[in-house]
Amino acid sequence: MNASARPLLPKGPYLLCDDTLRPELSLGEKAARLLAGGARILQLRMKRTPPREALAAAREVVAACHRAGALCLLNDRVDLALLSGADGVHVGDEDLPPEAARELLGPARLVGVTVRNAEGARAAQAAGADYVGVGPVFGTTTKQVPAPVLGVEGFAAVVRASPLPVVGIGGVALTNIAQVAAAGAWCAAVASDALLAPDIAEQVRRLSAAFDSGLRGASLAGSP
Ligand SMILES: Cc1ncc(COP(=O)(O)OP(=O)(O)O)c(N)n1
Ligand SMILES: Cc1ncsc1CCOP(=O)(O)O
Ligand SMILES: [Mg+2]
């Protein structure tokens, strides 16, 4: 199978279904609420779920995503991605290198890689990645990130020089997702602003609408 058989990353919000936020809700319940709001891509991010539970959650969430017509990527875990039939993985500096993820997953699944700059994006492309995650765009308390906050301008500069589609991550919220879209992001990754909202599904709808308005604003800004 060649690379063209891989699914395309849908443009828009990229929702993190995370086990560190709202621990009173199961991962399956969080995924159901994100999907009810129209999420088209979910990343299952499990940092504290024990392995057997993680496998069961991966199978449940991947199946729910596929029933809803959404893609599901596993954070960090190539083994769970393969076992659950996920659409791919996202790996960073502390995970398997992207070349190894690609080797294990083959050509038909997506590989996303965390990078900090355009040079990292070029290296990720050479390693077989489909997209890069770049951040933190804004301050975040969801993860202690060993890199400075980029801000919208710094993020836009990485996007302009990246050969791969860029997913902006870190502090992305309803208040700023339009700016991330207007800066050229292919996707904007959101964890806490969606999962901590009183109505998760409604927040995903709002995030999608705001992302689209940022895209329209960017295209208007570029017109004569
Ligand atoms: C879309 C996206 N971009 C970046 C990351 C961060 O990945 P990583 O650096 O491996 O950190 P953890 O998420 O594993 O803590 C991501 N998960 N998703
Ligand atoms: C996993 C990760 N990598 C960089 S920032 C981040 C956390 C994103 O979470 P939030 O959307 O709550 O800032
Ligand atoms: Mg990781």
Side-chain angles (χ1 to χ4, degrees), residues 80-174:
L80 296 183
L82 285 167
L83 285 164
S84 62
D87 300 288
V89 293
H90 185 95
V91 290
D93 287 346
E94 296 181 348
D95 310 314
L96 279 182
E99 294 87 345
R102 172 61 68 212
E103 191 178 335
L104 287 169
L105 288 176
R109 296 185 222 228
L110 293 165
V111 174
V113 179
T114 301
V115 303
R116 304 288 171 214
N117 49 40
E119 189 189 347
R122 286 189 287 274
Q125 184 184 42
D130 297 289
Y131 75 87
V132 288
V134 173
V137 185
F138 306 104
T140 178
T141 53
T142 304
K143 176 182 169 76
Q144 282 199 319
V145 188
V149 169
L150 289 167
V152 175
E153 288 307 318
F155 176 71
V158 179
V159 171
R160 282 194 294 274
S162 171
L164 289 174
V166 176
V167 178
I169 188 165
V172 180
L174 189 56

